[in-house]
Amino acid sequence: MAKKMLFVYNPKAGKIQIRSKLADILDVFAGAGYEITILPTRGPGDARDAIAIRDRSYDLVVCAGGDGTLDETVTGMVRSGFRTPIGYIPCGSTNDFAGSLSIPKNLVRAARTIVEGQNFACDIGSFNEDVFVYIAAFGLFTDVSYGTGQDMKNLLGHMAYLLEGMKRLPAIRSYPMRVSYEGGIIVDDFIFGMITNSLSVGGFKNITGRHVKLDDGMFEVTLVRRPKNPMELNDIMLALLNRDIDANAMYCFRTAQLELESTEPVAWTLDGEYGGNPQSVRIRNLCREVEIKV
């Protein structure tokens, strides 16, 4: 009896390279004995909804796209109430999480990894009633990923995020917050915060730490305090990129759960997609919640 696969792909992801490699990818899956149901997405939410209502007879769910497509896939998986192993073909602009999992950038090699690899039980995060795969963030630059047009991303790749981010510098704002976590309580004024389970963010490796494990039930948390002047902001940015922790400018810690409360709504991004603007957020690590082919 043939194995069944649901293959969901974003035809507009990255530099649209999926289109030229689609036949080769499907040939790899067919050669491995899969009966394939193919679903190209047409807009936000398509992957999430299709996977949430998928038939239980599918042995494997494969998504091809960027981090946002993977986020929708995992969200749909959680909402379905049952689990199926996930295969991921990274073809977005940055593909942070694929790099963390050492999934090949070559799309056909990534397809072979799916049919020949092993299941890796990976942590994800819950964010109030939502979920995320590898990052929940607020503040400085975090709206760049979902505020940059797909055409610009396709044309310039990672550089598009940097160019868009530079436009935000004159409008930096801060958020007074109370942060409760397993190690205590922090009350301060922040310009940026990220709760991560990844080896890289925005294409920058080690920005979350050098000893990150994706299945240990813990998040790496970075909260950046409001700088006193532009020079201090510059020093903070350099410290982040070099992972040179400045205790006077930022808080860095590991935790399995935390709550953040603000005096006003705060816009969040979840895996590069808009995550709403709640005033109160509860984040929990869902240890080894999904299985991804690596």
Side-chain angles (χ1 to χ4, degrees), residues 18 20 25 38 60 67 72 74 92 103 131-132 138 146 152 154 166 173 175 179 183 203-204 219 237 269 273 283 288:
I18 184 69
S20 63
I25 291 169
I38 306 171
L60 181 64
D67 292 329
E72 286 200 18
V74 171
I103 295 174
V131 298
F132 63 95
F138 69 88
Y146 61 79
M152 181 66 78
N154 292 347
M166 292 302 292
R173 60 177 300 184
Y175 304 90
V179 181
F204 296 102
F219 290 123
M237 298 299 289
T269 177
E273 303 298 321
I283 296 174
R288 303 183 182 183

Side-chain angles (χ1 to χ4, degrees), residues 14 18 49 53 60 72 79 87 89 104 118 120 130 135 142 154 161 172 178 197 238-239 253 258 263 279 284 289 292:
I18 184 69
D49 295 342
I53 62 171
L60 181 64
E72 286 200 18
R79 291 185 180 180
I89 299 178
Q118 303 295 320
F120 173 69
D130 208 339
I135 182 171
T142 53
N154 292 347
Y161 293 118
I172 292 174
R178 174 188 172 91
N197 187 47
L238 288 175
F253 55 88
L258 69 163
T263 56
Q279 285 184 243
R284 294 184 300 115
E289 182 73 6
I292 299 179

Side-chain angles (χ1 to χ4, degrees), residues 96-133:
D96 280 314
F97 200 63
S100 297
L101 292 170
S102 298
I103 295 174
K105 294 181 180 179
N106 180 282
L107 305 191
V108 177
R109 285 182 58 204
R112 293 196 185 105
T113 295
I114 291 170
V115 299
E116 298 171 1
Q118 303 295 320
N119 292 343
F120 173 69
C122 183
D123 299 348
I124 61 173
S126 72
F127 179 92
N128 289 346
E129 302 303 317
D130 208 339
V131 298
F132 63 95
V133 178

